[in-house]
């Protein structure tokens, strides 16, 4: 079975990894992308810069292989708004999922029931960096951009269009916030609730599972590969990571300890309960009878990087700092809600704010770092509970490179975590999807992983800590203007 190059187009980094038929990595390359942080919480990216990065990493990996791959498979960041014209050219800079320009609008929609009305038909909450509020914002402040646009898409389909000349949107990307995941069609009630029903023609219909594209002349020149080479624009990074992490059985889940803290649980049913907290989403998978109940929080490793910078440390110091501070961080507590766009899971609150308290002259920088890491663990536990985790849990993402943080996560979650030995599980996941599309009947081999068990001697401490976290969160939400749950 031929080698396939999986490309994971992250927010700040694009990675390409070539996997053979046994799921072993043969070659890899990484390039950083530029993220424009602008006043007012605005965050944008240049599609041309992102596409150029894809070309660089694929060329490097193909050269290392010494021959052409059998296919290229794409995954990457979700949400945000990547507006293009009919030829795939951007009509304005892409708006990132991290963008906060529509925060006040989302706050108003939470209060007046707009988000709840859409949620009843889609099961997807909304946050400032998703299509609903962003399209509404542009309709009010930049209508000329919408007039020039032919496609209101996402990162992966924008890159795929540049490579193949075709618009091919995976159903997972289309999920938030207008798709009815049961039918894989857009819910007109959700569009109307957001006041953007007149923009429905900009939304591409989700592609059928198993769709395979081919490099056109422009894409072939960019990647240095043959025209017509198969291209699969697969699930975006959250479901791709679930697939690559070996989530196979209903009730199993994955926690991605990356820029976002993304919790997902595999399910065989969709429950659109209008009484539920309007947060998270039901992600379509390549299997029409399976969905991922996703609760992707806004801040994961970004919160850790913030506190490390605050205390004058780097990621290389994490293990030593976590060793220096005992479980419970000597009474220092934190909330990890540091995104300017607030929080989106397991609740939506654009006004959510971080906190670091319980400090005294006896506290050290290690205590501050541990407190933030423990808070991220509590937030993950909250998300996983909301997503309905009942089976095994995989843990992946850049945060797992820290042995001590992985152990801390198992302790705080109070359950074993399986850490895949292959770090680039997003690329591996979309390569598995590509193989299944190219070779019907293909089943991915079981992945290799190591297991981190929770320590019994800290169980009671973290159970108490989680209770305090949830109680403090309920109080804080009342102050932020959200609804305590």
């Amino acid at each position: 079975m031929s080698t396939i190059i999986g490309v994971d187009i992250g927010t700040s980094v694009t990675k390409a990894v070539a996997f053979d038929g046994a799921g072993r990595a043969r070659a890899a390359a990484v390039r950083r992308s530029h993220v424009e942080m602008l006043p007012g919480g605005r965050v944008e990216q240049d599609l041309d810069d992102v596409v150029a990065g894809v070309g660089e990493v694929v060329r490097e990996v193909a050269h290392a292989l010494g021959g052409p791959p059998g296919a290229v498979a794409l995954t990457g960041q979700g949400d945000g708004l990547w507006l293009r014209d009919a030829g795939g050219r951007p009509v304005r800079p892409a708006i990132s999922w991290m963008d906060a320009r529509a925060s006040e609008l989302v706050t108003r929609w939470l209060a007046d029931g707009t988000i709840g009305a859409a949620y009843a038909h889609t099961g997807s909450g909304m946050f400032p960096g998703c299509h609903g509020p962003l399209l509404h914002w542009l309709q009010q402040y930049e209508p000329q951009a919408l007039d020039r646009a032919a496609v209101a898409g996402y990162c992966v389909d924008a890159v795929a269009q540049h490579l193949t000349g075709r618009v091919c949107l995976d159903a997972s990307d289309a999920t938030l916030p207008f798709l009815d995941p049961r039918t894989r069609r857009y819910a007109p009630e959700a569009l109307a609730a957001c006041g953007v029903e007149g923009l429905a023609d900009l939304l591409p219909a989700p592609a059928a599972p198993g769709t395979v594209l081919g490099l056109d002349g422009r894409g072939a020149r960019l990647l240095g590969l043959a025209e017509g080479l198969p291209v699969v624009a697969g699930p975006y990074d959250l479901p791709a990571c679930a697939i690559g992490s070996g989530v196979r059985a209903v009730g199993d889940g994955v926690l991605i300890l990356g820029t976002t803290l993304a919790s997902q649980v595999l399910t065989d049913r969709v429950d659109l309960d209008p009484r539920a907290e309007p947060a998270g989403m039901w992600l379509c998978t390549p299997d029409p009878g399976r969905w991922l109940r996703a609760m992707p929080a806004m801040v994961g490793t970004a919160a850790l990087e913030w506190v490390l910078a605050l205390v004058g440390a780097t990621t290389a110091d994490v293990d030593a700092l976590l060793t220096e501070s005992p479980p419970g961080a000597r009474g220092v507590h934190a909330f990890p809600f540091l995104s300017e766009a607030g929080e989106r899971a397991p609740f939506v609150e654009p006004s959510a704010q971080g906190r670091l308290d319980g400090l005294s002259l006896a506290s050290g920088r290690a205590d501050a770092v541990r407190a933030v890491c423990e808070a991220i663990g509590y937030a993950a536990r909250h998300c996983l509970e909301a997503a309905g985790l009942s089976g095994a849990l995989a843990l992946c993402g850049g945060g797992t490179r820290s042995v001590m943080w992985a152990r801390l996560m198992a302790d705080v979650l109070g359950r074993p975590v399986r850490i895949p030995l292959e770090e680039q599980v997003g690329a591996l996941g979309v390569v598995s999807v590509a193989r299944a599309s190219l070779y019907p009947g293909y089943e991915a081999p079981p992945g290799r992983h190591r297991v981190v068990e929770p320590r019994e001697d800290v169980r009671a401490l973290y159970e108490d800590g989680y209770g305090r976290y949830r109680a403090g969160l309920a109080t804080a939400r009342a102050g932020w203007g959200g609804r305590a749950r």
Side-chain angles (χ1 to χ4, degrees):
M1 196 171 286
S2 62
T3 296
I4 295 178
I5 297 179
V7 185
D8 188 347
I9 312 158
T11 305
S12 56
V13 173
T14 294
K15 296 161 283 192
V17 187
F19 291 99
D20 63 21
R24 293 185 296 260
R26 296 273 309 279
V30 178
R31 289 290 185 279
R32 294 201 67 82
S33 298
H34 179 68
V35 180
E36 193 76 21
M37 310 298 287
L38 302 168
R42 303 184 187 198
V43 185
E44 298 183 344
Q45 287 194 268
D46 179 358
L47 175 58
D48 289 337
D49 175 65
V50 172
V51 168
V54 170
E56 290 173 8
V57 293
V58 171
R59 280 178 173 270
E60 182 175 335
V61 169
H63 177 75
L65 289 175
V72 172
L74 303 175
T75 186
Q77 58 180 294
D79 303 314
L81 182 60
W82 298 63
L83 285 176
R84 293 107 64 190
D85 63 19
R89 298 294 307 163
V91 300
R92 70 170 322 285
I95 303 177
S96 169
W97 59 271
M98 298 187 296
D99 194 271
R101 74 188 68 197
S103 292
E104 291 184 6
L105 176 63
V106 172
T107 298
R108 187 165 71 249
W109 281 0
L110 282 168
D112 67 17
T114 295
I115 290 178
Y119 184 87
H121 297 280
T122 65
S124 288
M126 291 189 215
F127 67 103
C130 74
H131 269 49
L134 289 177
L135 285 172
H136 187 101
W137 190 95
L138 288 174
Q139 194 171 240
Q140 183 174 359
Y141 296 106
E142 290 186 28
Q144 67 279 6
L146 295 172
D147 290 342
R148 295 194 301 271
V151 180
Y154 303 80
C155 175
V156 176
D157 64 282
V159 173
Q161 185 177 6
H162 195 99
L163 298 180
T164 69
R166 291 176 56 188
V167 177
C168 182
L169 178 65
D170 189 81
S172 63
D173 252 329
T175 297
L176 185 67
F178 302 126
L179 199 74
D180 182 334
R182 301 163 300 184
T183 64
R184 299 193 178 214
R185 298 190 187 95
Y186 296 112
E189 299 89 346
L191 287 155
C194 296
V196 295
E197 61 269 35
L199 303 177
D201 288 346
L202 296 181
L203 304 176
T211 297
V212 178
L213 310 173
L215 284 181
D216 65 7
R218 179 175 64 171
R221 290 189 295 274
L222 177 76
L223 302 187
L225 299 173
E227 190 169 346
L229 184 82
V231 175
V232 172
Y236 81 97
D237 56 6
L238 296 194
C241 283
I243 295 166
S245 296
V247 174
R248 302 283 189 272
V250 170
D252 286 356
V254 60
L255 172 63
I256 305 171
L257 197 54
T259 303
T260 53
L261 185 68
S263 304
Q264 303 171 83
V265 175
L266 189 65
T267 179
D268 57 1
R269 62 180 181 85
V270 173
D271 181 13
L272 301 187
D273 183 357
R275 300 165 300 175
E277 181 97 6
M281 67 281 284
W282 300 85
L283 295 174
C284 295
T285 75
D287 181 347
R290 294 288 186 271
W291 298 265
L292 286 160
R293 182 62 170 136
M295 289 286 171
M298 286 296 290
V299 177
T301 55
L304 174 60
E305 291 166 357
W306 174 84
V307 74
L308 289 171
L310 187 70
V311 302
T314 69
T315 53
D317 304 313
V318 171
D319 280 354
L321 290 166
L322 292 178
T323 301
E324 182 181 335
S325 179
R330 296 189 180 92
V332 181
H333 308 291
F335 279 160
F337 312 117
L338 300 179
S339 169
E340 289 188 88
E343 189 49 272
R344 62 176 176 174
F347 57 91
V348 177
E349 180 47 71
S351 300
Q353 294 181 325
R355 190 171 77 193
L356 188 62
D357 58 23
L359 296 164
S360 72
L361 291 176
S363 305
R365 65 177 193 156
D367 301 318
V369 171
R370 176 173 275 276
V372 170
C373 288
E374 290 178 347
I376 293 170
Y378 292 141
R381 182 168 171 175
H382 192 185
C383 287
L384 288 165
E385 288 178 356
L389 178 68
S390 61
L393 177 66
L395 179 67
C396 65
T400 60
R401 297 190 188 100
S402 165
V403 173
M404 292 300 296
W405 198 7
R407 178 186 295 171
L408 182 153
M409 293 300 292
D411 288 341
V412 171
L413 295 172
R415 61 166 58 240
V417 295
R418 301 185 306 180
I419 301 178
L421 298 185
E422 171 53 57
E423 286 191 5
Q424 304 302 334
V425 293
L428 177 60
V430 78
V431 164
S432 295
V433 172
R435 289 197 191 284
S437 301
L438 293 165
Y439 310 108
Y442 168 81
E443 291 188 11
R448 298 175 301 141
H449 60 265
R450 61 185 176 91
V451 178
V452 179
E453 298 280 351
R455 294 175 294 173
E456 191 61 36
D457 60 335
V458 297
R459 181 181 295 274
L461 182 149
Y462 282 125
E463 287 297 323
D464 289 345
Y466 182 56
R468 287 195 303 270
Y469 170 87
R470 291 293 301 273
L473 179 58
T475 301
R477 288 191 64 187
W480 294 332
R483 294 174 296 168
R485 290 291 177 104

